[in-house]
Amino acid sequence: MAAVIRAMLSNWRHFATILVLGQVLSLCITSTSVLSNKLAEYQGTTTPNFQSFLVYGLLLVVYMPLALVRLGPRVVWQNIRKRWFWYVVLAAVDVEGNYFVVKAYSYTSLLSCMLLDTWTLPCVVVLTYLLLRVRYGWTQVLGVVVCLGGMGLLIKGDMDADKNYAAVDAVKGDIFMVVGATCYALSNTLEEFIVRHRPQYETVAWLGFFGTVINGVQMGIIEHQALRDTVWTAEIVGCTVGFGLVMFVLYSLAPFLFRMSSATVYNLSILTSDFYGLIFAKYMFHDRITPIYAGAFTMIVAGLLVYHVFPYKSPEHMARLPGFRAQLPGDIELAPGTHRMVASARSSAVSSRRSSVDLGSAKSVVVASDHHDHASTLV
């Protein structure tokens, strides 16, 4: 018991940081859900590709110039020339995850959506085990179980409050939700892998670039008629812009949580989004919050605490995917014996033979994933 208490006290600052960051991301999820529902109400249909198009466009416009300035065009080009395939996969599964999850709510029941959405979590656990070589301890396993128990209480609360609705096409909707949840798991795990090798701003820049292309093509094929029939009222424009801005914040902050902890913790943290949705409903629709919801929220936070009773061990021996087996200028790695991500020694050696622009960019890659010193430069 004494060892457990000492571990908790030594790790409290890191836990508090990821808890706050995780709940900010959870609030973003809730806000996008509310805005998406409002858009569907105003438009009379769902247009998930159109909603996401603005998000990917913002990521591209904001972060690509930043990557070019901080890393230099040559370093950015060297990276994408060798590893373009993984950025395309990341964008593709992210786009399809957004699409299938939103569409699933139109076909299947709320209960099915809430239950099947948790499929993301075991998928992430398996993928991080295989790809990132994460080895989960008993506290991590127990924490996941406790968080899922809290999610079960949330679902029970919704069913007791008679919030479920009938399925239009249960089989189709359930398949869509499973596909979407699996895509989210792939997206989260692959993004964690990439941001443990490259700067955050460059990763989301390429996600924005390929996401804009893939999402734009899909939007033109599937949603062109719905968009043509849309009457662009102030409410629709406002919800669309609001959705894009909130998702931009989500995509900007999530990579930091992936680095400071993991994709698993990200998915555990956003389980509380349904609880925040109840708070929105209380003030917008005067819904009643019963004690079971407060118990569910407490249980999820307790699960996160249990997960971090012992310091989380960052992956040190990740699988080497094609394209990532050789170091490139601008690469980052875990500093030996620490939890800090720093410029790779081998990539710095390569960079020293490049232009002064490339050298300066490589030196700037220092990550704020130090569990003891969070004042490092964010990248």
Side-chain angles (χ1 to χ4, degrees), residues 54-315:
L54 175 61
V55 181
Y56 295 119
L58 280 173
L59 294 175
L60 173 61
V61 170
V62 173
Y63 287 111
M64 188 60 78
L66 180 61
L68 292 172
V69 170
R70 294 196 65 178
L71 293 174
R74 179 179 295 179
V75 173
V76 173
W77 169 245
Q78 286 178 323
N79 176 53
I80 198 61
R81 185 169 63 89
K82 294 285 187 179
R83 300 162 175 170
W84 63 269
F85 174 79
W86 299 110
Y87 289 98
V88 172
V89 172
L90 172 62
V93 294
D94 195 74
V95 168
E96 301 311 324
N98 289 332
Y99 176 79
F100 281 110
V101 167
V102 172
K103 296 300 289 185
Y105 280 90
S106 302
Y107 292 103
T108 194
S109 65
L110 177 63
L111 175 60
S112 291
C113 285
M114 295 181 74
L115 288 172
L116 294 174
D117 194 31
T118 60
W119 172 247
T120 302
L121 190 54
C123 284
V124 166
V125 170
V126 172
L127 288 170
T128 52
Y129 180 87
L130 296 175
L131 183 61
L132 303 182
R133 307 287 173 82
V134 174
R135 297 299 178 259
Y136 294 97
W138 68 269
T139 53
Q140 279 78 52
V141 175
L142 180 60
V144 171
V145 172
V146 172
C147 286
L148 288 176
M151 185 64 187
L153 284 180
L154 277 175
I155 294 173
K156 184 180 187 305
D158 279 349
M159 296 306 103
D160 290 346
D162 198 27
K163 292 185 178 180
N164 197 21
Y165 50 80
V168 176
D169 187 338
V171 174
K172 185 176 182 179
D174 290 351
I175 292 174
F176 277 11
M177 181 56 75
V178 171
V179 171
T182 304
C183 286
Y184 276 154
L186 288 167
S187 173
N188 293 163
T189 307
L190 185 55
E191 186 170 1
E192 180 184 349
F193 179 88
I194 294 175
V195 297
R196 288 185 181 278
H197 289 84
R198 301 294 297 184
Q200 172 268 354
Y201 50 84
E202 184 192 41
T203 303
V204 293
W206 286 116
L207 173 59
F209 176 82
F210 291 112
T212 301
V213 174
I214 297 171
N215 192 81
V217 171
Q218 190 164 294
M219 178 181 66
I221 296 172
I222 299 175
E223 299 174 357
H224 65 278
Q225 187 60 48
L227 293 175
R228 186 180 295 119
D229 296 339
T230 299
V231 178
W232 296 98
T233 63
E235 291 82 2
I236 290 179
V237 173
C239 287
T240 301
V241 173
F243 180 90
L245 292 175
V246 174
M247 285 293 283
F248 175 80
V249 173
L250 176 70
Y251 277 92
S252 298
L253 295 180
F256 295 124
L257 185 58
F258 292 155
R259 280 220 195 107
M260 294 173 66
S261 191
S262 65
T264 302
V265 169
Y266 167 79
N267 282 278
L268 291 174
S269 298
I270 63 176
L271 290 177
T272 58
S273 61
D274 289 323
F275 176 79
Y276 295 128
L278 291 170
I279 297 177
F280 275 89
K282 175 178 174 59
Y283 291 101
M284 294 176 64
F285 310 112
H286 308 293
D287 284 3
R288 186 170 63 92
I289 299 179
T290 60
I292 194 172
Y293 289 120
F297 179 82
T298 303
M299 198 169 178
I300 292 172
V301 173
L304 287 169
L305 177 60
V306 171
Y307 191 96
H308 284 278
V309 164
F310 292 106
Y312 178 78
K313 184 175 177 60
S314 297

Side-chain angles (χ1 to χ4, degrees), residues 316-332:
E316 297 183 37
H317 305 289
M318 291 180 282
R320 285 293 180 181
L321 297 178
F324 286 91
R325 291 168 182 166
Q327 293 286 337
L328 295 177
D331 278 2
I332 56 179

